[in-house]
Amino acid sequence: MLTWAIDRGNAEVAQRIVTGTARFWHLSGRFVEWRRWGERALSGGPTPDDVRAAAMGVTGWVASIQGDEDHAITLVRESIRLARHAGDDMIVAQAAIALGIIEEDRGRFAEARALYEEALRIFRSRHNEIWPPYVVNLLGL
């Protein structure tokens, strides 16, 4: 389906698939393949800001896992910008976590903490019960 969407120039469908299958890619450990598909989907053309923001966030996350921090930061920061523009605070929060982890890995603990706290505020304001314990754990670390 992802190949079909990319081959037909349907960037929105491709980006939605990349985002929707992120958990599969992460748990399977197939990071090279995941990133390749993410980059291909992002290069497919313009899409709604929220769709692109989500795809950029997960593609940036995998870039950070692979040690490409500069590219990861670029993607995740743009993800946050687009998500804010689209008014999608859940994408902002998830991307803030990704950027926080990258900043933490770089020894920039104050920046990481601020990002985690922003994510936690968003999740709590949305009454999300899944993400706050994860973010509190990150703050504790």
Side-chain angles (χ1 to χ4, degrees), residues 73-92:
I73 288 171
T74 299
L75 287 172
V76 176
R77 282 187 178 152
E78 181 64 5
S79 171
I80 292 170
R81 188 190 72 74
L82 289 172
R84 285 190 203 286
H85 184 261
D88 194 321
D89 59 348
M90 290 298 286
I91 295 173
V92 170

Side-chain angles (χ1 to χ4, degrees), residues 42-84:
L42 288 169
S43 70
T47 57
D49 285 349
D50 61 329
V51 173
R52 186 162 187 81
M56 290 183 101
V58 298
T59 303
W61 174 242
V62 74
S64 75
I65 291 170
Q66 293 179 313
D68 190 355
E69 288 182 346
D70 291 335
H71 187 58
I73 288 171
T74 299
L75 287 172
V76 176
R77 282 187 178 152
E78 181 64 5
S79 171
I80 292 170
R81 188 190 72 74
L82 289 172
R84 285 190 203 286

Side-chain angles (χ1 to χ4, degrees), residues 84-140:
R84 285 190 203 286
H85 184 261
D88 194 321
D89 59 348
M90 290 298 286
I91 295 173
V92 170
Q94 291 169 348
I97 291 170
L99 187 55
I101 291 169
I102 295 166
E103 295 290 19
E104 185 179 335
D105 288 346
R106 297 175 91 176
R108 298 173 50 122
F109 302 113
E111 291 84 351
R113 181 180 179 161
L115 289 158
Y116 296 152
E117 288 173 347
E118 177 182 13
L120 187 58
R121 276 192 307 275
I122 291 169
F123 292 134
R124 285 182 172 160
S125 74
R126 297 283 303 263
H127 306 289
N128 181 289
E129 296 179 5
I130 303 298
W131 284 97
Y134 178 67
V135 180
V136 168
N137 183 62
L138 290 170
L139 283 164

Side-chain angles (χ1 to χ4, degrees), residues 14-44:
Q15 289 173 23
R16 287 183 185 278
I17 292 170
V18 164
T19 301
T21 58
R23 186 170 174 89
F24 161 77
W25 294 110
H26 190 161
L27 294 175
S28 71
R30 298 165 70 176
F31 302 122
V32 172
E33 187 176 358
W34 178 17
R35 182 169 174 194
R36 184 174 55 244
W37 283 115
E39 297 285 358
R40 285 185 68 197
L42 288 169
S43 70

